[in-house]
Amino acid sequence: MSLAMETGLCQGNDDPNPNETLKIPERLLKRDQARLKEAERRKDVKESSSVAEENSDVFFTTFNSERASIDALLSTCTETTRENASEVLEEATIKTQQLQQFLNDSMMFLTPFNLKQAQATLQALQTSLSEKRDEVLPKKKFAFKSRNVKGKTTLSPSSSITEIPRAARDKKTTVDTAVSPMQCGFSSADSQVLIKTADEIQQRDVLLSHLTGCKVRLLGSPSTLHIKHVRDCEILCGPVSSSVFVDQCTGCTLALPCQQLRTHNTKDTRIYLHVTSRAIIEDCQGVSFAPFTWTYSNLDADFTVSGLDRNRNNWDQVDDFNWLAAGTPSPNWTIIPENDRKTSWDELLPASSE
Amino acid sequence: MGLLTILKKMKHKEREMRLLMLGLDNAGKTTILKKFNGEDVSTISPTLGFNIKTLEHRGFKLNIWDVGGQKSLRSYWRNYFESTDGLVWVVDSADRLRLEDCKQELSALLLEERLAGATLLVFANKQDLPGALSKEAIQEALALDDIKTHHWCIIGCSAVTGENLLTGVDWLLDDIAARIFTIE
């Protein structure tokens, strides 16, 4: 009875608005449908727009059709159609570049395998393009070299002819680089006393090369100093404004002030140094350092000319590029103990060299 | 909107560029970097490792990497190639003896796949020295005209006086900006 009462009561509660029991599910249903529709719509939008491009199938279809069109372009271009061959090749080159760009842009969503494949295809395409160019327009590269008259008369220039301008150019480069009005120095000397005065040196690049057993005095302020392939020499130099390069030096004694010292491939060499920034060694062994002690009459004036700071000398701070371990000192260089340091230098007069 | 578009837009918003400065030792890379940043250039030491500077110029944020040029460090250059927008190749115009070295190192770099998209700026540095070769001579010695794979430009400059440094960097920025930030 009480149960019936309760159900009755429940029913009674619902009774006053019987429509509502139907309305709620209907509203829910509608909302659900609307939601599904919206999802569908979004999906459509998504598929129809940008994401379609970010799909490897789509990518490959486009990629392959582009590649085929470039291939076709290349095959139309033969030796017989030389007049317009260059235009065709140009077009093919541009298309290939565009294809490369397309691949680059698509890199994000391609699998590594697909990417590799596409890159290989592109590589092959570029190879065949350049082969084609060589075949159809064999000497295009050299057309602007100073032999256009010659080039016109030569129908099929042999490879030896194409070598000429290149060789000539290389030769010119070497000549160009070797001769400098601003360079002076000594080279290829054996057991001599070699002296340069301030007038000869002042703010020039000085080069000392292939010297053996010589005593060299540079009484002035060079802009840079190069010391190369030198054996058993004593080289004393005035303040160098910028860098000193030492390369392939063995058993030498050097004394010089400079801004930077760069030492390479050098063995068993003692360097009396004034350096305002840093000295470095690379591929060196048995190099030892001490403060600069040499002096000559015009040293003070030359220091002024060079612009070097006399009060800053980092002679004992040497960076070894082959010894990057911090904390442990490099085994390739040492400091010359104080009692072993040279304090007096032979006085050589310019006259004695003549 | 695709992911790539988003990334491009992000990069655009930041207007950030990565420049890698390389060249033989003693070319003046660190001096250029410091001069450009307005620092003292008289006490620069040969670079053992690398320097990075981030600076703002013309509304761009530039990350400039200056890596040491000593022979023993050159094998590490490749560690810095990734996502480089611009390559600055610095040449000591007065160092005639090593121009051939310089040419070879540069052409090896240009074959690097990871630098394929980078713009190349060549600084013919040390034009203030009386013995310096002209930028035309450097252009020929390095065979720059044979470069077909990169956008390039050569500028004669002096890191010590600061001459033409801005001209070079401005050209580089313009070229990179035209390439990267195209969606404006």
Side-chain angles (χ1 to χ4, degrees):
Chain A
M1 176 61 193
S2 67
L3 196 73
M5 277 285 284
E6 269 181 21
T7 45
L9 197 67
C10 278
Q11 275 170 348
N13 265 351
D14 280 355
D15 271 345
N17 18 341
N19 287 340
E20 216 157 277
T21 40
L22 287 171
K23 253 186 194 165
I24 294 169
E26 197 183 330
R27 210 192 297 150
L28 278 178
L29 210 66
K30 265 189 189 162
R31 271 187 66 185
D32 193 38
Q33 274 173 344
R35 208 178 323 146
L36 281 173
K37 235 182 188 169
E38 175 66 16
E40 192 80 7
R41 194 187 61 80
R42 276 201 211 139
K43 206 172 140 199
D44 281 353
V45 168
K46 237 180 182 179
E47 273 175 0
S48 64
S49 73
S50 56
V51 178
E53 292 144 29
E54 297 191 1
N55 172 305
S56 59
D57 288 340
V58 177
F59 169 78
F60 267 102
T61 321
T62 322
F63 186 83
N64 286 330
S65 75
E66 271 301 302
R67 193 203 59 182
S69 82
I70 297 173
D71 273 341
L73 209 56
L74 282 183
S75 62
T76 63
C77 156
T78 57
E79 289 207 50
T80 51
T81 60
R82 191 168 287 180
E83 320 77 68
N84 63 358
S86 62
E87 280 171 38
V88 175
L89 279 175
E90 193 57 33
E91 194 186 339
T93 313
I94 291 169
K95 278 195 153 186
T96 314
Q97 276 164 359
Q98 281 167 348
L99 197 55
Q100 175 77 61
Q101 190 57 48
F102 177 52
L103 174 60
N104 290 351
D105 288 346
S106 310
M107 213 119 80
M108 299 271 189
F109 57 86
L110 290 178
T111 61
F113 174 74
N114 284 343
L115 188 61
K116 230 175 197 173
Q117 230 179 2
Q119 268 165 348
T121 313
L122 208 57
Q123 192 67 48
L125 203 58
Q126 261 152 3
T127 316
S128 64
L129 184 63
S130 66
E131 274 170 6
K132 194 59 135 186
R133 183 176 291 134
D134 287 349
E135 177 192 326
V136 180
L137 305 165
K139 300 311 160 204
K140 185 80 166 77
K141 255 190 206 163
F142 298 98
F144 56 84
K145 292 284 168 231
S146 55
R147 38 162 227 111
N148 25 8
V149 183
K150 225 183 190 177
K152 265 176 199 160
T153 53
T154 326
L155 274 176
S156 61
S158 69
S159 60
S160 65
I161 288 178
T162 68
E163 294 293 313
I164 293 167
R166 175 168 297 199
R169 192 185 57 195
D170 283 355
K171 201 178 162 198
K172 195 176 163 218
T173 312
T174 36
V175 169
D176 207 6
T177 55
V179 181
S180 162
M182 294 310 297
Q183 203 141 38
C184 69
F186 298 106
S187 72
S188 310
D190 199 340
S191 313
Q192 288 181 33
V193 172
L194 305 165
I195 296 175
K196 282 239 180 277
T197 59
D199 296 344
E200 296 170 280
I201 293 171
Q202 226 62 305
Q203 291 302 298
R204 293 181 180 218
D205 292 353
V206 178
L207 169 65
L208 306 174
S209 69
H210 298 96
L211 306 179
T212 311
C214 295
K215 291 201 171 203
V216 184
R217 300 289 184 270
L218 303 171
L219 303 158
S221 168
S223 168
T224 53
L225 170 63
H226 290 257
I227 303 175
K228 281 190 150 191
H229 302 280
V230 171
R231 261 185 170 283
D232 307 320
C233 291
E234 184 184 89
I235 299 171
L236 312 182
C237 179
V240 182
S241 304
S242 62
S243 301
V244 173
F245 283 87
V246 178
D247 194 9
Q248 314 273 358
C249 242
T250 313
C252 295
T253 301
L254 314 175
L256 33 92
C258 59
Q259 198 212 345
Q260 296 183 352
L261 172 71
R262 298 167 182 256
T263 320
H264 307 268
N265 310 301
T266 290
K267 271 199 255 172
D268 309 321
T269 290
R270 298 152 80 84
I271 304 176
Y272 292 82
L273 184 66
H274 182 107
V275 64
T276 55
S277 89
R278 282 291 177 113
I280 68 120
I281 59 171
E282 186 178 53
D283 303 322
C284 293
Q285 277 168 358
V287 183
S288 50
F289 292 88
F292 180 74
T293 52
W294 181 52
T295 186
Y296 59 94
S297 56
N298 233 9
L299 182 65
D300 293 347
D302 286 340
F303 252 109
T304 315
V305 169
S306 72
L308 295 179
D309 183 348
R310 264 200 115 151
N311 298 316
R312 191 192 300 146
N313 187 0
N314 299 323
W315 66 274
D316 59 349
Q317 293 174 39
V318 181
D319 286 328
D320 182 355
F321 279 66
N322 304 104
W323 192 261
L324 302 177
T328 350
S330 158
N332 299 323
W333 68 276
T334 50
I335 288 175
I336 305 174
E338 271 187 55
N339 1 342
D340 292 355
R341 289 179 194 166
K342 207 173 160 99
T343 47
S344 64
W345 305 86
D346 298 339
E347 183 111 3
L348 302 169
L349 296 168
S352 64
S353 71
E354 282 158 31
Chain B
M1 185 185 289
L3 177 61
L4 192 76
T5 329
I6 297 175
L7 287 176
K8 266 191 179 163
K9 280 210 169 146
M10 275 169 60
K11 199 158 188 192
H12 182 219
K13 213 171 177 183
E14 290 170 10
R15 292 168 77 86
E16 198 170 335
M17 289 180 191
R18 186 180 147 117
L19 307 182
L20 178 60
M21 190 144 61
L22 297 176
L24 301 189
D25 47 299
N26 201 46
K29 298 176 288 296
T30 309
T31 312
I32 288 179
L33 182 64
K34 296 220 164 169
K35 187 77 185 182
F36 195 70
N37 207 26
E39 293 174 42
D40 175 31
V41 297
S42 64
T43 57
I44 291 167
S45 307
T47 307
L48 184 69
F50 62 88
N51 303 304
I52 322 169
K53 283 260 151 42
T54 300
L55 38 102
E56 299 270 346
H57 180 56
R58 284 175 40 195
F60 293 101
K61 187 173 166 196
L62 307 180
N63 294 313
I64 309 184
W65 294 68
D66 153 38
V67 187
Q70 299 294 330
K71 221 173 216 159
S72 46
L73 295 182
R74 290 179 207 161
S75 54
Y76 299 108
W77 282 358
R78 69 172 94 104
N79 300 345
Y80 300 86
F81 291 165
E82 210 66 53
S83 55
T84 292
D85 298 310
L87 176 65
V88 182
W89 182 254
V90 184
V91 183
D92 175 354
S93 306
D95 190 358
R96 291 150 200 261
L97 298 170
R98 293 196 301 162
L99 268 183
E100 191 54 38
D101 268 8
C102 181
K103 175 187 173 184
Q104 272 161 17
E105 291 286 353
L106 175 62
S107 52
L109 275 184
L110 296 180
L111 295 176
E112 284 290 340
E113 210 170 308
R114 283 173 297 162
L115 291 177
T119 302
L120 171 67
L121 169 67
V122 179
F123 267 137
N125 191 22
K126 308 201 184 180
Q127 290 296 320
D128 56 310
L129 295 185
L133 288 165
S134 68
K135 79 168 201 235
E136 287 77 18
I138 301 282
Q139 180 170 342
E140 192 181 332
L142 300 185
L144 294 183
D145 291 309
D146 293 350
I147 298 174
K148 305 288 180 220
T149 48
H150 295 68
H151 288 189
W152 63 269
C153 178
I154 182 166
I155 304 265
C157 75
S158 162
V160 174
T161 65
E163 181 204 355
N164 268 346
L165 292 186
L166 265 179
T167 320
V169 173
D170 282 344
W171 175 83
L172 191 60
L173 292 196
D174 287 339
D175 190 81
I176 296 171
R179 202 155 39 76
I180 304 183
F181 310 130
T182 44
I183 26 171
E184 203 148 28

mmCIF file of all heavy atoms in Angstrom, chain A residues 239-269:
data_model
loop_
_atom_site.group_PDB
_atom_site.id
_atom_site.type_symbol
_atom_site.label_atom_id
_atom_site.label_comp_id
_atom_site.label_asym_id
_atom_site.label_seq_id
_atom_site.Cartn_x
_atom_site.Cartn_y
_atom_site.Cartn_z
ATOM 1 N N PRO A 239 108.674 46.188 -32.416
ATOM 2 C CA PRO A 239 107.254 45.975 -32.101
ATOM 3 C C PRO A 239 106.388 45.807 -33.353
ATOM 4 O O PRO A 239 106.396 46.650 -34.244
ATOM 5 C CB PRO A 239 106.877 47.252 -31.354
ATOM 6 C CG PRO A 239 108.151 47.809 -30.851
ATOM 7 C CD PRO A 239 109.190 47.440 -31.851
ATOM 8 N N VAL A 240 105.615 44.709 -33.388
ATOM 9 C CA VAL A 240 104.737 44.404 -34.513
ATOM 10 C C VAL A 240 103.310 44.845 -34.156
ATOM 11 O O VAL A 240 102.758 44.398 -33.157
ATOM 12 C CB VAL A 240 104.749 42.892 -34.824
ATOM 13 C CG1 VAL A 240 103.871 42.580 -36.020
ATOM 14 C CG2 VAL A 240 106.167 42.407 -35.064
ATOM 15 N N SER A 241 102.726 45.706 -34.990
ATOM 16 C CA SER A 241 101.410 46.282 -34.661
ATOM 17 C C SER A 241 100.317 45.235 -34.464
ATOM 18 O O SER A 241 99.479 45.358 -33.593
ATOM 19 C CB SER A 241 100.936 47.201 -35.769
ATOM 20 O OG SER A 241 101.887 48.177 -36.003
ATOM 21 N N SER A 242 100.287 44.216 -35.325
ATOM 22 C CA SER A 242 99.209 43.228 -35.185
ATOM 23 C C SER A 242 99.776 41.848 -34.863
ATOM 24 O O SER A 242 100.302 41.641 -33.787
ATOM 25 C CB SER A 242 98.318 43.228 -36.421
ATOM 26 O OG SER A 242 99.045 42.862 -37.566
ATOM 27 N N SER A 243 99.673 40.929 -35.811
ATOM 28 C CA SER A 243 100.022 39.547 -35.474
ATOM 29 C C SER A 243 101.378 39.120 -35.988
ATOM 30 O O SER A 243 101.855 39.600 -37.001
ATOM 31 C CB SER A 243 98.986 38.587 -36.065
ATOM 32 O OG SER A 243 97.724 38.877 -35.564
ATOM 33 N N VAL A 244 101.966 38.186 -35.266
ATOM 34 C CA VAL A 244 103.153 37.492 -35.741
ATOM 35 C C VAL A 244 102.761 36.043 -35.984
ATOM 36 O O VAL A 244 102.159 35.408 -35.123
ATOM 37 C CB VAL A 244 104.293 37.550 -34.705
ATOM 38 C CG1 VAL A 244 105.467 36.686 -35.146
ATOM 39 C CG2 VAL A 244 104.747 38.986 -34.494
ATOM 40 N N PHE A 245 103.060 35.543 -37.181
ATOM 41 C CA PHE A 245 102.824 34.141 -37.512
ATOM 42 C C PHE A 245 104.138 33.411 -37.526
ATOM 43 O O PHE A 245 105.075 33.836 -38.204
ATOM 44 C CB PHE A 245 102.241 34.005 -38.915
ATOM 45 C CG PHE A 245 100.800 34.335 -39.003
ATOM 46 C CD1 PHE A 245 100.392 35.630 -39.206
ATOM 47 C CD2 PHE A 245 99.852 33.335 -38.869
ATOM 48 C CE1 PHE A 245 99.057 35.938 -39.276
ATOM 49 C CE2 PHE A 245 98.519 33.639 -38.944
ATOM 50 C CZ PHE A 245 98.109 34.946 -39.150
ATOM 51 N N VAL A 246 104.196 32.299 -36.814
ATOM 52 C CA VAL A 246 105.386 31.471 -36.858
ATOM 53 C C VAL A 246 104.925 30.100 -37.325
ATOM 54 O O VAL A 246 104.010 29.522 -36.740
ATOM 55 C CB VAL A 246 106.050 31.386 -35.471
ATOM 56 C CG1 VAL A 246 107.264 30.476 -35.512
ATOM 57 C CG2 VAL A 246 106.438 32.775 -34.986
ATOM 58 N N ASP A 247 105.530 29.593 -38.399
ATOM 59 C CA ASP A 247 105.100 28.306 -38.937
ATOM 60 C C ASP A 247 106.330 27.506 -39.348
ATOM 61 O O ASP A 247 107.232 28.049 -39.988
ATOM 62 C CB ASP A 247 104.176 28.571 -40.145
ATOM 63 C CG ASP A 247 103.413 27.325 -40.554
ATOM 64 O OD1 ASP A 247 103.466 26.324 -39.812
ATOM 65 O OD2 ASP A 247 102.765 27.358 -41.616
ATOM 66 N N GLN A 248 106.374 26.229 -38.999
ATOM 67 C CA GLN A 248 107.471 25.335 -39.393
ATOM 68 C C GLN A 248 108.832 25.893 -38.992
ATOM 69 O O GLN A 248 109.716 26.066 -39.819
ATOM 70 C CB GLN A 248 107.471 25.115 -40.918
ATOM 71 C CG GLN A 248 106.148 24.816 -41.522
ATOM 72 C CD GLN A 248 105.811 23.336 -41.489
ATOM 73 O OE1 GLN A 248 106.607 22.514 -41.036
ATOM 74 N NE2 GLN A 248 104.629 22.986 -41.942
ATOM 75 N N CYS A 249 108.966 26.147 -37.711
ATOM 76 C CA CYS A 249 110.211 26.700 -37.178
ATOM 77 C C CYS A 249 110.862 25.646 -36.299
ATOM 78 O O CYS A 249 110.181 25.027 -35.499
ATOM 79 C CB CYS A 249 109.858 27.892 -36.302
ATOM 80 S SG CYS A 249 110.533 29.391 -36.887
ATOM 81 N N THR A 250 112.163 25.452 -36.422
ATOM 82 C CA THR A 250 112.826 24.481 -35.564
ATOM 83 C C THR A 250 114.119 25.059 -35.005
ATOM 84 O O THR A 250 114.886 25.675 -35.752
ATOM 85 C CB THR A 250 113.143 23.192 -36.347
ATOM 86 O OG1 THR A 250 111.986 22.801 -37.068
ATOM 87 C CG2 THR A 250 113.543 22.062 -35.427
ATOM 88 N N GLY A 251 114.320 24.860 -33.707
ATOM 89 C CA GLY A 251 115.579 25.238 -33.069
ATOM 90 C C GLY A 251 115.937 26.711 -33.157
ATOM 91 O O GLY A 251 117.105 27.053 -33.291
ATOM 92 N N CYS A 252 114.945 27.576 -33.084
ATOM 93 C CA CYS A 252 115.218 29.006 -33.229
ATOM 94 C C CYS A 252 115.121 29.746 -31.896
ATOM 95 O O CYS A 252 114.547 29.243 -30.932
ATOM 96 C CB CYS A 252 114.221 29.646 -34.188
ATOM 97 S SG CYS A 252 114.380 29.029 -35.854
ATOM 98 N N THR A 253 115.649 30.961 -31.899
ATOM 99 C CA THR A 253 115.431 31.883 -30.802
ATOM 100 C C THR A 253 114.784 33.137 -31.388
ATOM 101 O O THR A 253 115.325 33.716 -32.334
ATOM 102 C CB THR A 253 116.755 32.249 -30.119
ATOM 103 O OG1 THR A 253 117.348 31.045 -29.653
ATOM 104 C CG2 THR A 253 116.521 33.175 -28.944
ATOM 105 N N LEU A 254 113.630 33.511 -30.848
ATOM 106 C CA LEU A 254 112.921 34.680 -31.361
ATOM 107 C C LEU A 254 112.735 35.676 -30.227
ATOM 108 O O LEU A 254 112.527 35.275 -29.084
ATOM 109 C CB LEU A 254 111.537 34.292 -31.892
ATOM 110 C CG LEU A 254 111.403 33.064 -32.800
ATOM 111 C CD1 LEU A 254 109.939 32.789 -33.101
ATOM 112 C CD2 LEU A 254 112.180 33.271 -34.083
ATOM 113 N N ALA A 255 112.827 36.964 -30.555
ATOM 114 C CA ALA A 255 112.478 37.988 -29.577
ATOM 115 C C ALA A 255 111.637 39.033 -30.284
ATOM 116 O O ALA A 255 112.071 39.579 -31.296
ATOM 117 C CB ALA A 255 113.730 38.611 -28.987
ATOM 118 N N LEU A 256 110.420 39.243 -29.806
ATOM 119 C CA LEU A 256 109.555 40.206 -30.481
ATOM 120 C C LEU A 256 108.388 40.674 -29.611
ATOM 121 O O LEU A 256 107.838 39.923 -28.834
ATOM 122 C CB LEU A 256 108.999 39.595 -31.780
ATOM 123 C CG LEU A 256 108.731 38.097 -31.818
ATOM 124 C CD1 LEU A 256 107.320 37.792 -31.418
ATOM 125 C CD2 LEU A 256 109.032 37.574 -33.211
ATOM 126 N N PRO A 257 108.016 41.951 -29.752
ATOM 127 C CA PRO A 257 106.790 42.442 -29.163
ATOM 128 C C PRO A 257 105.702 42.445 -30.246
ATOM 129 O O PRO A 257 105.981 42.757 -31.402
ATOM 130 C CB PRO A 257 107.105 43.889 -28.763
ATOM 131 C CG PRO A 257 108.554 44.098 -29.127
ATOM 132 C CD PRO A 257 108.890 43.060 -30.144
ATOM 133 N N CYS A 258 104.464 42.081 -29.864
ATOM 134 C CA CYS A 258 103.391 42.054 -30.858
ATOM 135 C C CYS A 258 102.039 42.093 -30.141
ATOM 136 O O CYS A 258 101.964 42.017 -28.923
ATOM 137 C CB CYS A 258 103.475 40.799 -31.715
ATOM 138 S SG CYS A 258 103.357 39.284 -30.770
ATOM 139 N N GLN A 259 100.968 42.193 -30.946
ATOM 140 C CA GLN A 259 99.645 42.157 -30.336
ATOM 141 C C GLN A 259 99.202 40.715 -30.114
ATOM 142 O O GLN A 259 98.691 40.361 -29.071
ATOM 143 C CB GLN A 259 98.648 42.884 -31.235
ATOM 144 C CG GLN A 259 97.391 43.267 -30.468
ATOM 145 C CD GLN A 259 96.144 43.260 -31.351
ATOM 146 O OE1 GLN A 259 96.217 43.244 -32.560
ATOM 147 N NE2 GLN A 259 95.004 43.259 -30.702
ATOM 148 N N GLN A 260 99.386 39.882 -31.148
ATOM 149 C CA GLN A 260 99.065 38.459 -31.027
ATOM 150 C C GLN A 260 100.201 37.653 -31.603
ATOM 151 O O GLN A 260 100.790 38.041 -32.595
ATOM 152 C CB GLN A 260 97.793 38.119 -31.827
ATOM 153 C CG GLN A 260 96.538 38.799 -31.332
ATOM 154 C CD GLN A 260 95.315 38.348 -32.128
ATOM 155 O OE1 GLN A 260 95.429 37.641 -33.131
ATOM 156 N NE2 GLN A 260 94.148 38.751 -31.659
ATOM 157 N N LEU A 261 100.462 36.489 -31.002
ATOM 158 C CA LEU A 261 101.450 35.582 -31.567
ATOM 159 C C LEU A 261 100.759 34.263 -31.890
ATOM 160 O O LEU A 261 100.105 33.674 -31.036
ATOM 161 C CB LEU A 261 102.589 35.330 -30.573
ATOM 162 C CG LEU A 261 103.579 34.233 -30.988
ATOM 163 C CD1 LEU A 261 104.442 34.679 -32.157
ATOM 164 C CD2 LEU A 261 104.453 33.815 -29.823
ATOM 165 N N ARG A 262 100.890 33.834 -33.137
ATOM 166 C CA ARG A 262 100.260 32.583 -33.558
ATOM 167 C C ARG A 262 101.345 31.642 -34.049
ATOM 168 O O ARG A 262 101.949 31.868 -35.083
ATOM 169 C CB ARG A 262 99.228 32.844 -34.652
ATOM 170 C CG ARG A 262 98.091 33.760 -34.168
ATOM 171 C CD ARG A 262 97.257 34.261 -35.306
ATOM 172 N NE ARG A 262 96.214 35.172 -34.853
ATOM 173 C CZ ARG A 262 94.923 34.832 -34.751
ATOM 174 N NH1 ARG A 262 94.533 33.622 -35.052
ATOM 175 N NH2 ARG A 262 94.040 35.721 -34.350
ATOM 176 N N THR A 263 101.583 30.588 -33.292
ATOM 177 C CA THR A 263 102.691 29.678 -33.561
ATOM 178 C C THR A 263 102.156 28.325 -34.028
ATOM 179 O O THR A 263 101.300 27.746 -33.356
ATOM 180 C CB THR A 263 103.516 29.473 -32.278
ATOM 181 O OG1 THR A 263 103.623 30.719 -31.604
ATOM 182 C CG2 THR A 263 104.891 28.936 -32.573
ATOM 183 N N HIS A 264 102.645 27.853 -35.162
ATOM 184 C CA HIS A 264 102.181 26.573 -35.701
ATOM 185 C C HIS A 264 103.350 25.673 -36.054
ATOM 186 O O HIS A 264 104.388 26.158 -36.502
ATOM 187 C CB HIS A 264 101.354 26.790 -36.975
ATOM 188 C CG HIS A 264 100.232 27.768 -36.804
ATOM 189 N ND1 HIS A 264 98.965 27.387 -36.457
ATOM 190 C CD2 HIS A 264 100.202 29.109 -36.914
ATOM 191 C CE1 HIS A 264 98.201 28.464 -36.372
ATOM 192 N NE2 HIS A 264 98.929 29.525 -36.632
ATOM 193 N N ASN A 265 103.167 24.365 -35.904
ATOM 194 C CA ASN A 265 104.143 23.356 -36.359
ATOM 195 C C ASN A 265 105.583 23.727 -35.992
ATOM 196 O O ASN A 265 106.474 23.634 -36.830
ATOM 197 C CB ASN A 265 104.057 23.173 -37.882
ATOM 198 C CG ASN A 265 102.635 22.958 -38.344
ATOM 199 O OD1 ASN A 265 101.981 22.015 -37.924
ATOM 200 N ND2 ASN A 265 102.140 23.865 -39.166
ATOM 201 N N THR A 266 105.781 24.145 -34.779
ATOM 202 C CA THR A 266 107.106 24.625 -34.392
ATOM 203 C C THR A 266 107.675 23.751 -33.280
ATOM 204 O O THR A 266 106.950 23.293 -32.403
ATOM 205 C CB THR A 266 106.996 26.101 -33.975
ATOM 206 O OG1 THR A 266 106.725 26.863 -35.133
ATOM 207 C CG2 THR A 266 108.270 26.599 -33.337
ATOM 208 N N LYS A 267 108.988 23.517 -33.359
ATOM 209 C CA LYS A 267 109.637 22.644 -32.384
ATOM 210 C C LYS A 267 110.847 23.320 -31.769
ATOM 211 O O LYS A 267 111.569 24.050 -32.457
ATOM 212 C CB LYS A 267 110.109 21.357 -33.076
ATOM 213 C CG LYS A 267 109.040 20.269 -33.083
ATOM 214 C CD LYS A 267 109.678 18.917 -33.339
ATOM 215 C CE LYS A 267 109.413 18.466 -34.755
ATOM 216 N NZ LYS A 267 110.156 17.279 -35.120
ATOM 217 N N ASP A 268 111.072 23.046 -30.504
ATOM 218 C CA ASP A 268 112.303 23.439 -29.816
ATOM 219 C C ASP A 268 112.713 24.877 -30.099
ATOM 220 O O ASP A 268 113.810 25.151 -30.592
ATOM 221 C CB ASP A 268 113.449 22.486 -30.222
ATOM 222 C CG ASP A 268 113.030 21.044 -30.046
ATOM 223 O OD1 ASP A 268 112.336 20.767 -29.044
ATOM 224 O OD2 ASP A 268 113.347 20.212 -30.904
ATOM 225 N N THR A 269 111.811 25.783 -29.810
ATOM 226 C CA THR A 269 112.080 27.184 -30.095
ATOM 227 C C THR A 269 111.851 28.009 -28.836
ATOM 228 O O THR A 269 110.913 27.762 -28.081
ATOM 229 C CB THR A 269 111.190 27.656 -31.263
ATOM 230 O OG1 THR A 269 111.639 27.034 -32.450
ATOM 231 C CG2 THR A 269 111.216 29.156 -31.442
#
